[in-house]
Amino acid sequence: MNKSEILREFSSDPARYYNVRLFEEQGFIRKDCSKCGRFFWTLDSNRHLCPDDGEDTYSFIGDPPTAKRFDYTESWKQVEDFFVKNGHTSVNRYPVVCRWRDDLYFTIASIVDFQRVMGSKVVFEFPSNPLVVPQTCLRFKDLENVGVTGRHFSSFCMIGQHSIPNDQGYWKDECVDLDFRLLTEQFGIKKEEVVFVEDVWAGGGSFGSSLEYFVRGLELGNAVFTEFQGELGKHSTLDQKIIDMGAGLERFAWITKGTPTAYDCCFGPITNHLFEKIGIDSDSQILRSYFTAIAKNLEIFDDLNDVRKHAIEFAGLSDEQIKRVITPLEGMYLIADHLRTLIFAITDGALPSNVGGGYNLRMMLRRIIGTMDRMDIRLDMNELVDMHIDYLKETYPELTTKREDVKTILKLESQRYVESKSRMAKMASKLKEKGRDPNVDELITLYESDGITPEYLKEINVISEIPSSFYAKLSDLHQSGKKNPVKQLPIEDIPETELLFYKEDPMEFDAKVLKVFDNYVILDRTSFYARGGGQEPDHGSIANFKVIDVDKHAGIIVHKLEGGTPKEGDKVSCKIDVTRRMNITKNHTSTHILNTSSREVLGSWIWQHSAFKEADHARLDVTHHSSLTEEQVKQIEDTANRLVKQNIPVKIEYFDRGTAEQKYGFRIYQGGVVPVKSVRIVSIENKDIEACGGTHVKTTGEIELIKITKTKRIQDGVIRIEFVSGSTAFEYLEKQREEKATQEKKNIQKKEIEKQREEAKQKAREKIPILLEKILSGHSGNLEDIEIKEKQCFTASEKYDEFFHINFGKKITSKEPKSSYCGIFESGPTIRVIAYCGTESGKNAGDIARELSSLLGGSGGGDSKFAQGGGKDTSKKDEIVAKAKLLILG
């Protein structure tokens, strides 16, 4: 949708789209910018430039327009107090990990909190109307700007002011009036300082007008009035219009403080702590001048390097000042910002990894470590985490409960990065040899495959500058999830199936055949559970035809049959395979139990990544940073079985989706997004509460036993737990006992055989002098399994080991220079060859060992007198025995 066309259309009719009651009451004048042409509303009749181009742009730095000074947390108190006094409900922030949307990893705007996807439509579900929310948002497209521009953050608080225009809510006039009063009454900004700029917003098939409000060139908020859907000119009015006003809390603090950057007033005591570390005065005239120029030049130049260059020139900074002040300052701001983002993300259950949104988190932590290394400064990460959380906990108390978990993850991830540096250095040196900078795609591949950040490459002079598009491209690659295509079936005009498995759930029932196509059947009602949420479908029979698969398409259940199909209109008898259903049901409830048990044992970052429940086995994939130890597996299994033994009731209730979210939080979305208004909540007391459409036991005791059969790390940040439950678990244990007993018996037999062999070998060693005496005296033929021909000896007998072969071969060839000896024996999975040749034997031990070893697929080595070798191709044993006889005995 072309936003410029919409803006042109809306601006041609300002009375319809932009002129609100406040403008008429206060005397705002509509003007067009003499430089860029944008329309804006102002009380200053002499103003001819919009806020972006005005002479007063960013003039609040060093000269704030408010009588009072509020930092980040104080500014929120002011905002919250104002809106609550004016009839709004203050809502706690939603998680930064966007569990309720399958197309987003992270929450990128406050309105996302209340968006729910229903089919192909986005609907809005507000817990209150109107409301205000301090929503932490994560965005990673501008990471290269963080710490440099004075106002770019990787995470920021979007003050969300939202309303539906009904009996409780309001529309444009009230919204703009509230925002104006927030600035003038609550924050004490003179009304002449406020400028509104006309704009539009479009996305997700809907659009509407918006009014951005500025003070001294700083955009503080943007009130969007989402009103229409469709294409411009063919559009229609939405059934559900909404106000989406988003304001930056960081900017509210900045406008009242007038500090050189927004960073200086948004990180609490951590800022002064970092300034002390690098010995910089954060409020010097140099910094005010420099960052004012940075802010203004951001609107002029696309390239950040050009922005910095012109700001340096404007502020008159020397190379020494840049190196001593600006560069360390940018590093300090980056560290504070990135660490705050990581705290929010890890608290809400995200892990740094090389998968999905975890890419951005790992990147930020490595940027923190790289910045500290580059500045040669040692900072206590745990101390900085505590400072952040202690400063934010009044606004976001949930951060305190995850404090230690955050530290654990950051420590582990930091260690991994440090351990990988030697490998990174080798790869970087190879890149340096190429003599050219890698392009953006190559840099992304280097980061994804090997964890090499562009900052690291710049630090060691492999690249001169970080491409400005790097972070935006990386974010695009990993910010959005993928949806599987939906198979199209001929089910038009078929009514939704009555789902008996959510009602009385009979194992035998009658139904009417509504449609038959290929080998598929649709009934008017069914108790056959369809595949969903990782649970495999029921099997059984319909009209004596075998049901082998069941799927759900929207609200219609489709059964796949084998051996034939009934006719449309038939009344048919249906029967569920009860044993299969019960086994799958036990496995499904066991999945919930193992999920919560894993979280209890391992940490709060445990979330279900995916799951699979079949009749005879199941698996649960959870988010975790490392492979599980045997002790951890045992602890998880023991914790799960304690819940089983407690025989806790498994409760199933239905809630409105918004009610469920407010009552239980977003941990209910373990199995992914719920695309329906009514949510089915499965709870095992307060131990585990999830939104789930699967079948479950009545009490945990019905499961009887859960047994973990295997665990493995299937990808970075994801662990797979394979398990069985119920009768299958007991069968597994019995099989384990039988296998253990069999193995113990084999071990006893093996030990006995080994003992017999050792005894035989010892006897053989004792016979060496006797054998030597007989052979040297002229004995030929077979002697104690040694074949002898004119003092040339060979054996492949199992009773002779390496000690015998070396001692016997060495002694016989030293006593008789014309003799030779070759011994072949098995050592583990390898067939070994040892050869000795006397100085007058006419044979070469090295040649013999190499030739025989080659036949075994291995290699041999040595000299003409002594050599050895071998190989693992045991199928060639008879062949090399025959060859050895030929080489030794002739």
Side-chain angles (χ1 to χ4, degrees):
M1 195 176 292
N2 191 318
K3 287 180 65 176
S4 59
E5 286 183 17
I6 302 172
L7 181 58
R8 191 161 49 247
E9 174 71 22
F10 284 8
S11 292
S12 68
D13 189 1
R16 162 72 177 87
Y17 297 104
Y18 297 110
N19 194 5
V20 292
R21 185 176 61 224
L22 176 83
F23 294 169
E24 296 176 0
E25 290 176 350
Q26 296 290 334
F28 276 85
I29 307 164
R30 184 176 188 253
K31 294 195 169 191
D32 61 327
C33 179
S34 60
K35 186 172 183 180
C36 71
R38 289 188 75 186
F39 288 98
F40 61 93
W41 297 77
T42 178
L43 291 170
D44 182 0
S45 59
N46 295 318
R47 187 179 186 104
H48 301 291
L49 295 170
C50 72
D52 284 341
D53 298 314
E55 294 177 1
D56 63 341
T57 298
Y58 289 88
S59 62
F60 68 89
I61 293 177
D63 181 24
T66 60
K68 296 179 180 179
R69 305 286 176 261
F70 303 114
D71 69 1
Y72 182 77
T73 56
E74 292 165 344
S75 292
W76 166 245
K77 290 176 187 175
Q78 294 298 314
V79 173
E80 183 181 39
D81 176 68
F82 174 81
F83 279 111
V84 169
K85 279 191 304 187
N86 285 277
H88 293 66
T89 300
S90 180
V91 175
N92 293 335
R93 77 170 179 94
Y94 282 41
V96 299
V97 184
C98 195
R99 307 284 181 188
W100 57 95
R101 291 274 297 270
D102 61 3
D103 57 339
L104 291 174
Y105 285 115
F106 297 114
T107 307
I108 58 173
S110 62
I111 194 62
V112 170
D113 294 354
F114 316 112
Q115 290 175 335
R116 300 295 180 271
V117 179
M118 301 279 284
S120 59
K121 289 182 64 178
V122 175
V123 298
F124 296 92
E125 296 178 1
F126 290 176
S128 298
N129 183 36
L131 63 83
V132 63
V133 58
Q135 181 55 47
T136 304
C137 300
L138 271 56
R139 296 183 185 177
F140 303 105
K141 288 180 183 275
D142 297 316
L143 278 187
E144 72 276 9
N145 291 335
V146 174
V148 178
T149 65
R151 59 185 171 96
H152 280 87
F153 294 82
S154 59
S155 63
F156 62 96
C157 176
M158 182 179 285
I159 301 165
Q161 172 199 357
H162 302 293
S163 173
I164 299 171
N166 55 22
D167 293 342
Q168 291 80 42
Y170 51 79
W171 193 231
K172 292 182 185 179
D173 287 339
E174 293 85 348
C175 177
V176 177
D177 181 69
L178 283 164
D179 295 342
F180 180 71
R181 287 168 49 212
L182 172 68
L183 301 180
T184 56
E185 295 176 11
Q186 195 77 2
F187 281 89
I189 297 170
K190 293 179 181 178
K191 63 183 181 179
E192 292 79 13
E193 299 266 22
V194 182
V195 178
F196 291 89
V197 177
E198 295 179 4
D199 202 358
V200 297
W201 179 90
S206 58
F207 62 96
S209 59
S210 69
L211 283 167
E212 303 167 339
Y213 52 90
F214 293 75
V215 174
R216 296 194 190 176
L218 181 67
E219 181 186 350
L220 292 173
N222 180 18
V224 174
F225 307 104
T226 308
E227 188 174 3
F228 306 107
Q229 63 185 348
E231 291 295 324
L232 186 66
K234 301 176 184 177
H235 59 278
S236 59
T237 301
L238 288 165
D239 295 333
Q240 187 187 40
K241 297 190 295 186
I242 64 153
I243 288 176
D244 171 17
M245 196 294 292
L249 181 59
E250 286 80 1
R251 295 186 176 198
F252 270 83
W254 194 16
I255 200 77
T256 75
K257 287 282 193 178
T259 50
T261 76
Y263 311 127
D264 300 316
C265 53
C266 292
F267 297 131
I270 198 171
T271 310
N272 288 334
H273 175 76
L274 293 176
F275 284 148
E276 288 173 8
K277 286 283 185 182
I278 58 176
I280 291 176
D281 177 9
S282 64
D283 197 30
S284 68
Q285 182 54 46
I286 289 176
L287 295 182
R288 287 195 290 272
S289 177
Y290 172 75
F291 281 107
T292 300
I294 284 280
K296 289 186 174 183
N297 283 307
L298 276 171
E299 310 300 333
I300 302 171
F301 302 101
D302 293 330
D303 192 305
L304 188 59
N305 295 313
D306 290 334
V307 172
R308 291 181 86 249
K309 184 172 66 177
H310 282 82
I312 290 167
E313 185 179 330
F314 175 84
L317 298 178
S318 66
D319 290 344
E320 193 275 333
Q321 286 174 313
I322 295 165
K323 182 179 178 181
R324 183 177 58 82
V325 179
I326 301 300
T327 301
L329 201 59
E330 291 173 344
M332 292 294 95
Y333 291 146
L334 180 150
I335 290 168
D337 167 89
H338 284 13
L339 188 57
R340 185 175 75 171
T341 299
L342 286 163
I343 289 169
F344 275 108
I346 295 169
T347 293
D348 291 349
L351 288 176
S353 70
N354 63 5
V355 180
Y359 272 93
N360 300 299
L361 306 182
R362 175 167 285 172
M363 168 66 77
M364 284 194 299
L365 182 55
R366 294 188 173 193
R367 277 166 59 91
I368 290 172
I369 298 169
T371 299
M372 289 194 294
D373 289 346
R374 187 169 62 253
M375 295 173 63
D376 193 25
I377 186 170
R378 300 273 69 82
L379 296 171
D380 185 334
M381 196 90 76
N382 286 347
E383 183 182 16
L384 297 182
V385 168
D386 284 333
M387 284 184 174
H388 264 311
I389 292 177
D390 289 341
Y391 177 62
L392 295 168
K393 65 184 179 183
E394 190 170 343
T395 307
Y396 305 113
E398 67 279 3
L399 299 180
T400 303
T401 63
K402 303 296 190 300
R403 187 191 299 258
E404 297 309 314
D405 287 348
V406 170
K407 293 177 184 178
T408 297
I409 298 302
L410 292 179
K411 180 181 179 182
L412 180 76
E413 189 66 23
S414 298
Q415 288 172 340
R416 286 178 175 168
Y417 180 53
V418 171
E419 289 164 3
S420 69
K421 275 199 164 184
S422 59
R423 176 183 52 80
M424 288 164 55
K426 290 177 184 176
M427 296 193 68
S429 65
K430 291 179 182 178
L431 285 171
K432 218 169 184 179
E433 292 170 5
K434 292 183 178 180
R436 67 168 181 84
D437 282 9
N439 61 37
V440 173
D441 290 335
E442 289 170 331
L443 287 173
I444 286 175
T445 300
L446 282 167
Y447 176 66
E448 291 188 330
S449 302
D450 304 288
I452 300 176
T453 64
E455 282 84 4
Y456 175 74
L457 296 176
K458 184 180 178 183
E459 181 185 337
I460 61 174
N461 298 316
V462 173
I463 60 175
S464 53
E465 293 293 343
I466 300 169
S468 58
S469 61
F470 174 82
Y471 293 107
K473 270 193 121 173
L474 185 70
S475 183
D476 286 341
L477 281 171
H478 301 290
Q479 183 71 359
S480 297
K482 295 181 180 179
K483 295 182 180 180
N484 294 323
V486 178
K487 185 179 179 182
Q488 297 299 314
L489 297 176
I491 55 177
E492 302 84 3
D493 302 323
I494 300 291
E496 289 191 355
T497 311
E498 183 184 353
L499 307 180
L500 300 179
F501 49 79
Y502 286 153
K503 296 180 179 178
E504 62 274 16
D505 195 20
M507 295 295 98
E508 295 186 27
F509 62 96
D510 293 332
K512 183 181 179 182
V513 178
L514 299 183
K515 189 172 183 67
V516 177
F517 58 96
D518 300 330
N519 55 340
Y520 296 96
V521 168
I522 298 174
L523 307 174
D524 65 336
R525 60 203 296 263
T526 188
S527 207
F528 282 95
Y529 183 83
R531 178 181 287 103
Q535 179 170 331
E536 287 297 278
D538 284 332
H539 290 174
S541 63
I542 294 176
N544 295 320
F545 299 114
K546 192 174 181 182
V547 177
I548 59 172
D549 199 6
V550 187
D551 267 314
K552 188 176 182 182
H553 296 263
I556 299 170
I557 305 295
V558 180
H559 310 75
K560 185 177 183 180
L561 272 54
E562 185 178 79
T565 58
K567 295 177 182 178
E568 288 184 9
D570 282 359
K571 192 84 169 178
V572 292
S573 296
C574 310
K575 190 174 182 180
I576 309 289
D577 180 337
V578 178
T579 302
R580 173 181 169 81
R581 161 70 83 82
M582 184 48 65
N583 287 345
I584 293 176
T585 296
K586 288 179 179 180
N587 279 341
H588 198 143
T589 307
S590 297
T591 303
H592 288 221
I593 291 172
L594 281 170
N595 193 30
T596 193
S597 299
S598 299
R599 190 178 305 113
E600 182 178 329
V601 171
L602 302 174
S604 66
W605 52 82
I606 295 293
W607 280 77
Q608 179 178 311
H609 183 266
S610 64
F612 178 82
K613 307 100 179 177
E614 195 27 298
D616 59 349
H617 68 286
R619 64 174 182 264
L620 168 67
D621 298 343
V622 296
T623 53
H624 186 55
H625 49 70
S626 307
S627 298
L628 301 184
T629 64
E630 287 185 12
E631 179 59 27
Q632 287 172 328
V633 172
K634 185 178 185 304
Q635 287 177 332
I636 293 168
E637 187 176 274
D638 289 347
T639 303
N641 282 311
R642 276 198 298 273
L643 291 178
V644 170
K645 288 176 183 176
Q646 289 171 21
N647 200 27
I648 302 168
V650 179
K651 194 174 177 182
I652 296 176
E653 299 174 283
Y654 288 85
F655 293 90
D656 173 81
R657 179 166 47 196
T659 303
E661 291 173 354
Q662 293 300 310
K663 184 177 176 67
Y664 297 117
F666 292 91
R667 218 172 255 289
I668 61 174
Y669 294 133
Q670 294 294 320
V673 173
V674 176
V676 291
K677 180 75 173 170
S678 179
V679 179
R680 185 174 185 258
I681 296 293
V682 178
S683 57
I684 304 172
E685 287 185 345
N686 62 344
K687 309 287 186 184
D688 185 81
I689 302 171
E690 300 183 28
C692 180
T695 61
H696 289 276
V697 297
K698 295 287 191 297
T699 64
T700 59
E702 293 178 36
I703 296 170
E704 299 178 280
L705 180 69
I706 297 172
K707 189 67 187 172
I708 297 174
T709 59
K710 184 180 180 183
T711 67
K712 62 180 177 180
R713 193 180 186 197
I714 60 169
Q715 65 184 51
D716 192 20
V718 180
I719 300 299
R720 173 162 292 171
I721 300 172
E722 298 180 13
F723 67 95
V724 288
S725 69
S727 60
T728 316
F730 287 110
E731 289 169 8
Y732 174 82
L733 281 180
E734 183 58 33
K735 186 178 179 183
Q736 291 287 96
R737 280 192 286 267
E738 290 174 359
E739 288 178 356
K740 185 179 179 181
T742 301
Q743 188 59 47
E744 287 175 352
K745 189 175 180 181
K746 285 181 180 178
N747 290 340
I748 292 170
Q749 292 173 343
K750 186 177 179 182
K751 285 180 182 178
E752 184 59 34
I753 292 169
E754 286 296 320
K755 181 182 177 184
Q756 292 172 0
R757 283 179 178 171
E758 285 302 314
E759 291 173 352
K761 288 172 183 177
Q762 183 59 37
K763 289 177 182 178
R765 292 170 189 166
E766 293 169 358
K767 291 179 181 177
I768 288 177
I770 301 169
L771 292 171
L772 284 172
E773 184 180 346
K774 289 183 178 181
I775 293 169
L776 292 173
S777 65
H779 185 93
S780 287
N782 191 299
L783 180 64
E784 295 286 347
D785 293 334
I786 300 174
E787 296 185 45
I788 309 154
K789 184 178 180 182
E790 298 174 356
K791 299 178 184 176
Q792 312 304 309
C793 308
F794 167 78
T795 182
S797 173
E798 290 183 1
K799 66 183 179 184
Y800 298 124
D801 62 358
E802 183 177 11
F803 178 89
F804 176 87
H805 294 305
I806 288 175
N807 278 273
F808 185 83
K810 184 178 182 180
K811 287 180 178 178
I812 195 169
T813 53
S814 63
K815 292 179 180 290
E816 175 50 75
K818 293 182 180 179
S819 69
S820 64
Y821 175 79
C822 179
I824 293 174
F825 63 102
E826 291 186 22
S827 177
T830 305
I831 296 177
R832 295 273 306 280
V833 176
I834 290 178
Y836 280 90
C837 294
T839 54
E840 298 176 18
S841 67
K843 297 181 178 70
N844 186 303
D847 290 344
I848 292 169
R850 280 187 286 272
E851 186 172 351
L852 295 177
S853 298
S854 177
L855 289 171
L856 292 166
S859 60
D863 55 26
S864 60
K865 296 178 183 178
F866 166 68
Q868 59 182 326
K872 293 185 177 180
D873 189 354
T874 56
S875 66
K876 297 289 180 63
K877 185 175 181 180
D878 291 343
E879 186 178 339
I880 69 154
V881 167
K883 185 68 176 179
K885 286 182 180 180
L886 184 65
L887 293 172
I888 297 294
L889 305 176

